[in-house]
């Protein structure tokens, strides 16, 4: 009985049309191959872009490939065109570019008359996000294998997690702070960045990210920034506003998006606890409490000498270094939930952080771990 | 029950596939996968650690890597992020990959989905399968059903599940999908899958479509052992899982709290290079090993294990691979043409089967074609000393009491030593420790001939303060002389060693450029090297070789500086220094083969003493030297390194390919701990080892005292 079923299962693909092929062809028409700056210290000078208007607007990751006045794209039909960057948003790690026809003066005002297949990014952002276990397709010009009218490479995979990568140990400088799609297709090679991650049916899920290593597991990570991504950016002074990918695209198309420098996080020592640790001698000295200043926030919360600080707000603390790094992202007046190991038990305490008393030696904010 | 539940699903998939095309098949398969993942989710827990080292060893410059020939483990920077474990017992036992603790964390926490985070204790490790058993305080946990090993089929869908990316543990974890690529991998211990297996899911389950668990994901390599072996294959499409059935079988033993390792028979095959072509003939037997206890004999041919034929060594390794120490097997051997059955052989531990180098206690005179071996030096309190051997004595004949042993005839007869020190060394190395050897000795200066009995000992670590000179008779190019009178011919491979020198094709010219030379290898794409050939080079003496492997960034004057340190010694003790250069600046393990070829090629014109070929280096060059020695064992006989730890594990000590070590560390070297661990690793394999820790030394090369010792050590490499 089982054998029979197996045979049926195996027979099925042979008689049916291959749906991946059709999807790949459709998606390929909505993408560009990007060629730009790079080449020094092994940086690649090519990447992939996703068309978001019939006119030739396309999005890609904000990589160093774009740092050139001679940006070139190849369309799916082999046409070779020049392009310009209209705006970038470092918090989203995204750039909007525009195909420029020769002879046009004001590229924003004069329509360029192209009529290209493209993704509706606003629609895509409204769709239900993908979840762990969903099958996906990654389309890109990985390793610059395609030129001119040669189609992009398609890789199949599944979503291994929808997870925040930013702020975790070893990847403090991860460009995007929200949830990303982590996939099991190996997309971290050169040239894949900016290509579309789609569902099996060809619906746009996100943009394939850059080549980056996950310091938590010491492995290269394969991820995509979702189309639903949204970040808080600092508009003039201290006013924070939210920007989503479709909003960014819309404003940038009109030339109204102002590219801002990245927000600086975790520069100071953060809030004050009154905990002192054993000397930080090793790369990974465990954060054992050596001393608690009497009357300090930690003393009030009941932290004891020899407690091992194990988690802060659910984030694992591996060493004094991680402790400092995590604390640097806090503020006086804020509250942290600390889990400390005391004997064989974990104790959870809340600490209301204070101002640093005058004359206290403040720790320097820990630098993110060096990468290899 | 889960299996039955799946049948309709498959039916739907299959029929729908025919009716509605591939899309429907995909829809149904994706759904089935998600259901399997949801089923497995409660067993997949998150492991977090604190403390521990940031890196776990690694050979120079990475190297190895996927497809690298016998590539060792690359340097591993161990992430300290969350990892994954699999619940296997309701009362809180969790199995995981030992890789997750390879950096020796001080604290371990486990979170089972839906429960509180708990402090976990390490109960025991299975070093054969790279697994660690943890225990948390818990009751009534949900546990997986194992997918029967016998039903695992190549090509069946699999999901590799991990928790490294989950911060909340409320959702069903994601998976990497793939198929079973092979079964019985890693010498019968693992299932292979093309799912992406990496630190993201090491320790997690490999799940079948019906939700049962095929195995526990681990890094693994058929060529190496240890917690990090195989990590270089992460996300490559080559992933491994230890069958859950096997895990559950060993679980009761692990619960006892004692680490358990692979079962070892304890012999070396006669032809270790022939994995597939020849029957397994016992070449040597480790004392105290299972093979010794089962009274296997050198020369036995092992034909069956547990009634299963083992036509070659590879088959034998496949049969023994899955077994643990303490497991019992039955053996069938061919002995003197008769079939002998040995029942109930309890396999021993790798440590018990470790072979120690037999030692006699003399240094032989070199380059001496006369019959026998002249004694250059007798180690104080060595077996030779205790038996009354003296400097200047000449060993003429050797024999064993009792049955035939290796190259010696049965019945206690004495064989003349006609193959020089190479033959004598071979005989001693093949002798069991504590066995009695008889030798006929002609005393110094025309003294009388006596027969002495020497009890074979093991190599000690004491260095003589000074060695007598000269060390050579300066007759290296003469053929060994046969003894007067009739006698058996020397064994064919006995003399080969000594006079490896090829017949000169060109006329016998002896005019080499001497001193500091530079060269370019032709065979290996022009690898550069420099070389110091003693100014008094004499082809009638055999020369030892110091292969110098430079540190990370050699200075421009490196060759001159080295020459200044070493030239007097090289001239006096007959050594040539050859220093190939790394093509990558920093050594990579993958360069080994080329480097050896370069060195061999460059040394071809000279008279070389194969017993004194030493790999020498500091820092990364030292790590390279260690790596090279273990991977060019037919060539390198010693390793002298400064400030260099060994990556991965030490290989076994082999009687026919001896290796000695001289390790130097500054007590302020940041790598001190790793170097100390290296000495432990080498001692565990019973390698002769001298270790010197220099006070107030960081990453410097060597101090004068240690240098003096090193020169003595180098000059005593041909000890017997």
């Amino acid at each position: 009985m089982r054998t029979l079923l197996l045979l049926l299962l195996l027979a099925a693909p042979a008689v049916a049309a291959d749906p991946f092929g059709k999807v790949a062809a459709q998606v390929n028409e909505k993408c560009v191959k990007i060629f730009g700056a790079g080449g020094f210290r092994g940086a690649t000078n090519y990447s992939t872009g996703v068309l978001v208007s019939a006119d030739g607007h396309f999005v890609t990751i904000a990589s160093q490939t774009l740092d050139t006045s001679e940006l070139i794209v190849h369309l799916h039909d082999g046409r070779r065109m020049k392009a310009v960057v209209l705006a970038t948003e470092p918090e989203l790690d995204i750039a909007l570019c525009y195909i420029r026809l020769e002879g046009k003066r004001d590229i924003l005002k004069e329509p360029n008359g192209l009529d290209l297949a493209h993704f509706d990014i606003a629609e895509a952002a409204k769709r239900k996000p993908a979840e762990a276990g969903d099958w996906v397709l990654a389309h890109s010009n990985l390793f610059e294998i395609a030129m001119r009218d040669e189609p992009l490479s398609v890789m199949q995979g599944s979503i291994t997690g929808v997870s925040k990568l930013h702020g975790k140990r070893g990847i403090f400088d991860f460009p995007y702070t929200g949830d990303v799609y982590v996939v099991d297709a190996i997309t971290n090679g050169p040239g894949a960045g900016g290509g579309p991650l789609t569902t099996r049916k060809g619906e746009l899920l996100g943009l394939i990210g850059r080549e980056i290593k996950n310091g938590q597991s010491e492995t290269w990570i394969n991820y995509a920034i979702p189309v639903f991504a949204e970040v808080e950016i600092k508009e003039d002074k201290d006013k924070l506003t939210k920007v989503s990918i479709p909003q960014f695209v819309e404003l940038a198309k009109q030339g109204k998006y102002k590219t801002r420098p990245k927000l600086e996080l975790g520069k100071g020592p953060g809030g004050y606890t009154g905990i002192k640790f054993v000397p930080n001698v090793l790369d990974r000295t465990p954060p054992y409490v050596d001393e608690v200043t009497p009357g300090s926030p930690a003393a009030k919360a009941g932290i004891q000498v020899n407690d091992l600080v194990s988690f802060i707000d659910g984030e694992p603390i591996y060493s004094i270094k991680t402790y400092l790094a995590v604390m640097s992202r806090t503020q006086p007046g804020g509250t942290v939930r600390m889990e400390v190991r005391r004997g064989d038990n974990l104790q959870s305490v809340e600490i209301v952080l204070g101002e640093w008393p005058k004359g206290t030696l403040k720790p320097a904010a820990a630098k993110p771990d060096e990468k290899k | 029950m889960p299996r039955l539940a799946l049948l309709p699903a498959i039916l739907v998939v299959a029929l729908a596939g025919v009716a509605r095309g591939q899309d429907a098949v995909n829809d149904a398969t994706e759904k089935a996968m998600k259901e399997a993942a949801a089923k497995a989710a409660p067993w997949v827990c998150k492991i977090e650690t604190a403390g521990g080292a940031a890196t776990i060893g690694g050979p120079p410059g990475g190297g190895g890597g996927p497809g690298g020939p016998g590539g060792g483990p690359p340097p591993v920077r161990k992430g300290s992020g969350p990892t994954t474990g699999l619940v296997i017992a309701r009362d809180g036992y969790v199995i995981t990959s030992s890789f997750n603790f390879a950096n020796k964390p001080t604290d371990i926490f486990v979170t089972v989905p839906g429960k509180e985070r708990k402090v976990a204790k390490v109960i025991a490790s299975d070093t054969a399968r790279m697994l660690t058993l943890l225990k948390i305080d818990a009751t009534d946990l949900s546990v997986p059903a194992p997918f029967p090993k016998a039903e695992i089929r190549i090509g069946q869908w699999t999901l590799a599940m991990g928790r490294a990316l989950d911060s909340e543990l409320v959702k069903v974890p994601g998976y990497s999908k793939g198929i079973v690529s092979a079964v019985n991998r890693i010498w019968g211990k693992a299932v292979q899958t093309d799912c992406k297996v990496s630190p993201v899911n090491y320790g997690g389950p490999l799940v079948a479509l019906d939700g049962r668990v095929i195995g526990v994901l681990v890094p693994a390599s058929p060529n190496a052992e240890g917690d990090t072996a195989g990590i270089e294959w992460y996300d490559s499409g080559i992933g491994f899982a230890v069958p859950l059935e096997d895990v559950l079988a060993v679980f009761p033993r692990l619960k006892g709290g004692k680490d358990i390792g692979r079962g070892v028979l304890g012999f070396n095959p006669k032809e270790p290079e022939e994995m597939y072509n020849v029957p397994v003939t016992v070449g040597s037997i480790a004392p105290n090993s299972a093979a010794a206890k089962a009274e296997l004999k050198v020369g036995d041919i092992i034909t069956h294990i547990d009634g299963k034929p083992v036509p070659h060594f590879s088959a034998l390794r496949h049969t023994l691979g899955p077994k643990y120490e303490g497991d019992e097997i039955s053996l069938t051997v061919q002995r003197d043409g008769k079939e002998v059955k040995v029942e109930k052989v309890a396999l021993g531990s790798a440590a018990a089967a470790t072979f120690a180098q037999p030692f006699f206690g003399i240094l032989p005179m070199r380059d001496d074609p006369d019959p026998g071996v002249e004694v250059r030096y007798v180690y104080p309190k060595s077996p030779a000393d205790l038996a009354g051997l003296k400097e200047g004595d000449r060993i003429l004949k050797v024999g064993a009491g009792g049955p035939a042993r290796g190259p010696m005839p049965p019945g206690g007869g004495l064989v003349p030593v006609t193959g020089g020190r190479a033959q004598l060394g071979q005989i001693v190395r093949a002798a069991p420790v504590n066995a009695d050897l008889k030798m006929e000795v002609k005393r110094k200066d025309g003294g009388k001939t006596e027969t002495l009995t020497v009890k074979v000992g093991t190599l000690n670590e004491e260095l003589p303060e000074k060695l007598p000179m000269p060390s050579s008779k300066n007759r290296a190019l003469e053929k060994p002389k046969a003894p007067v009178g009739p006698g058996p011919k020397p064994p064919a491979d006995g003399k080969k060693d000594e006079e490896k020198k090829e017949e000169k094709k060109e006329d016998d010219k002896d005019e080499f450029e001497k001193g500091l030379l530079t060269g370019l290898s032709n065979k290996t794409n022009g690898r550069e090297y420099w070389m110091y050939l003693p100014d008094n080079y004499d082809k009638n003496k055999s020369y030892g070789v110091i292969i110098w492997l430079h540190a990370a960034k050699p200075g421009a004057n490196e060759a001159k500086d080295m020459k200044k340190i070493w030239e007097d010694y090289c001239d006096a003790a007959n050594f040539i220094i050859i220093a190939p250069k790394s093509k990558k600046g920093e050594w990579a393990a993958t360069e080994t083969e080329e480097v050896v070829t370069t060195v061999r090629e460059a040394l071809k014109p000279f008279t070389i003493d194969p017993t004194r070929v030493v790999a020498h280096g500091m820092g990364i060059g030292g790590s390279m030297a260690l790596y090279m020695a273990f991977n060019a064992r037919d060539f390198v006989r010693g390793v002298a390194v400064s400030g260099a730890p060994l990556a991965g594990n030490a290989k076994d000590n082999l009687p026919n390919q001896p290796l000695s070590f001289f390790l130097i560390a500054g007590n302020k070297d940041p790598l001190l701990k790793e170097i100390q661990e290296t000495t432990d690793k080498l001692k565990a394999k019973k390698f002769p080892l001298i270790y010197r820790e220099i006070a107030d030394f960081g990453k410097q090369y060597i101090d004068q005292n240690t240098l003096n010792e090193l020169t003595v050590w180098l000059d005593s490499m041909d000890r017997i």
Side-chain angles (χ1 to χ4, degrees), chain B residues 24-300:
Chain B
V25 176
N26 287 345
D27 283 340
T29 314
E30 185 180 357
K31 187 159 168 275
M33 284 186 178
K34 285 186 175 179
E35 282 167 5
K39 224 176 266 178
W43 317 318
V44 188
C45 45
K46 179 159 77 168
I47 301 174
E48 288 151 305
T49 60
T55 52
I56 321 155
V76 173
R77 240 183 96 78
K78 171 70 174 72
S80 55
T83 53
T84 311
L86 180 68
V87 177
I88 54 163
R90 302 181 70 85
D91 51 347
Y93 285 96
V94 170
I95 196 86
T96 185
S97 160
S98 301
F99 173 85
N100 294 340
F101 313 116
N103 64 332
K104 302 186 180 69
T106 49
D107 298 88
I108 300 169
F109 308 96
V110 169
T111 317
V112 176
K115 313 265 175 177
E116 282 188 3
R117 183 185 281 128
K118 292 281 174 68
V119 174
K121 280 200 174 87
V122 172
I123 301 298
S125 288
D126 172 345
T127 57
R129 285 170 174 74
M130 300 75 68
L131 296 170
T132 296
L133 182 68
L134 302 176
K135 174 78 169 75
I136 55 168
D137 189 16
T139 48
D140 283 336
L141 300 181
S142 167
V143 294
F147 193 93
K149 260 164 78 176
E151 289 176 30
I152 299 173
R153 295 284 176 270
I154 292 169
Q156 81 176 83
W157 282 118
T158 53
L159 311 177
M161 293 174 65
R163 286 286 189 190
L165 296 168
D166 285 336
S167 41
E168 299 303 330
L169 287 208
V170 286
K171 288 178 273 184
V172 172
Y175 56 78
S176 169
K177 66 174 192 282
I179 59 169
V180 171
S181 309
V183 293
N184 285 325
R185 284 291 201 238
I186 318 291
W187 309 113
K189 289 182 288 193
V191 172
Q192 187 184 323
T193 174
D194 74 339
C195 292
K196 305 305 183 301
V197 178
S198 76
V200 162
N201 50 27
Y202 288 151
L206 186 69
V207 179
L209 263 200
D210 63 1
R212 286 184 294 175
V213 172
I214 294 173
V216 181
L217 300 165
V218 290
S221 157
N223 304 320
E225 287 185 6
D227 300 338
T228 65
I231 168 75
E232 68 273 20
W233 286 343
Y234 87 82
D235 276 355
S236 67
I238 301 205
F240 298 103
V242 175
L244 183 58
E245 215 176 75
D246 294 346
V247 173
L248 294 178
V250 75
F251 173 49
R253 284 175 79 177
L254 286 174
K255 245 167 118 172
K258 234 184 108 202
D259 285 359
I260 171 168
R262 86 185 145 97
V264 175
L265 196 48
F267 78 98
N268 283 305
K270 197 173 152 210
E271 294 157 281
E273 309 304 325
E274 296 287 347
M275 290 285 284
Y276 304 99
N277 302 328
V278 298
V280 187
T281 307
V282 175
S284 64
I285 295 167
N288 305 322
S289 66
K293 284 175 192 159
E295 296 184 327
L296 287 195
K297 307 274 180 266
V298 169
D300 283 358

Side-chain angles (χ1 to χ4, degrees), chain A residues 55-95:
Chain A
D55 267 0
H57 293 93
F58 62 91
V59 286
T60 183
I61 52 162
S63 71
Q64 84 290 334
T65 307
L66 304 176
D67 298 340
T68 174
S69 53
E70 289 291 309
L71 199 60
I72 300 294
V73 296
H74 294 181
L75 300 183
H76 74 94
D77 55 12
R79 273 180 286 173
R80 179 182 184 276
M81 318 215 110
K82 287 188 174 169
V84 290
V85 180
L86 295 183
T88 58
E89 178 43 65
E91 295 294 325
L92 287 166
D93 202 24
I94 198 174

Side-chain angles (χ1 to χ4, degrees), chain B residues 246-413:
Chain B
D246 294 346
V247 173
L248 294 178
V250 75
F251 173 49
R253 284 175 79 177
L254 286 174
K255 245 167 118 172
K258 234 184 108 202
D259 285 359
I260 171 168
R262 86 185 145 97
V264 175
L265 196 48
F267 78 98
N268 283 305
K270 197 173 152 210
E271 294 157 281
E273 309 304 325
E274 296 287 347
M275 290 285 284
Y276 304 99
N277 302 328
V278 298
V280 187
T281 307
V282 175
S284 64
I285 295 167
N288 305 322
S289 66
K293 284 175 192 159
E295 296 184 327
L296 287 195
K297 307 274 180 266
V298 169
D300 283 358
I301 298 170
I302 303 176
T303 58
H304 293 77
I305 291 178
D306 292 339
K308 266 169 62 185
V310 284
H312 44 67
F313 192 58
S314 172
L316 180 133
R317 281 189 72 181
H318 272 287
T319 311
L320 288 183
K323 305 219 177 274
Y324 290 104
E325 53 190 290
D327 285 358
E328 281 187 354
I329 58 166
S330 71
L331 288 169
T332 310
V333 301
Q334 289 275 346
R335 184 177 299 159
D336 306 326
K338 271 179 244 147
E339 192 172 278
V340 180
K341 280 215 163 131
V342 194
E343 302 287 345
K344 292 201 170 173
V345 178
L347 295 175
S349 67
T354 309
F355 168 88
Q357 194 78 52
F359 188 50
F360 183 47
I362 63 154
L363 281 179
M365 189 59 82
R366 300 174 194 137
D367 313 323
D368 177 4
D370 290 340
V373 171
E374 188 183 314
V375 177
R376 174 185 166 206
Y377 175 75
V378 179
Y379 280 75
K381 292 184 190 140
S382 68
D385 187 27
L386 297 178
L389 211 65
K390 302 268 182 270
E391 265 174 45
D393 288 352
R394 182 168 280 274
I395 301 166
L396 294 174
K397 291 180 183 172
V398 188
R405 286 216 187 265
M408 280 172 295

Side-chain angles (χ1 to χ4, degrees), chain A residues 30-43:
Chain A
K30 301 174 189 171
C31 294
V32 293
K33 301 174 260 295
I34 303 172
F35 303 89
F40 71 98
R41 288 179 67 85

Side-chain angles (χ1 to χ4, degrees), chain A residues 5 13 16 133-135 156-158 160 163 169 184 200 216 218-220 283-284 308 311 318 339 341 344, chain B residues 11 26-27 30 34 49 51-54 77-81 103 107 117 121 165 174-177 196 234:
Chain A
L5 290 172
D134 281 355
W135 289 14
Q156 64 81 28
S158 52
T160 46
S163 176
R169 183 178 180 279
D184 74 341
R200 283 193 282 119
Q216 287 202 310
E218 283 302 326
T219 51
W220 295 95
D283 189 25
R284 287 192 187 171
L308 175 71
F311 300 89
Y318 311 106
E339 283 169 79
R341 179 174 178 172
D344 273 352
Chain B
L11 194 61
N26 287 345
D27 283 340
E30 185 180 357
K34 285 186 175 179
T49 60
R77 240 183 96 78
K78 171 70 174 72
S80 55
N103 64 332
D107 298 88
R117 183 185 281 128
K121 280 200 174 87
L165 296 168
Y175 56 78
S176 169
K177 66 174 192 282
K196 305 305 183 301
Y234 87 82

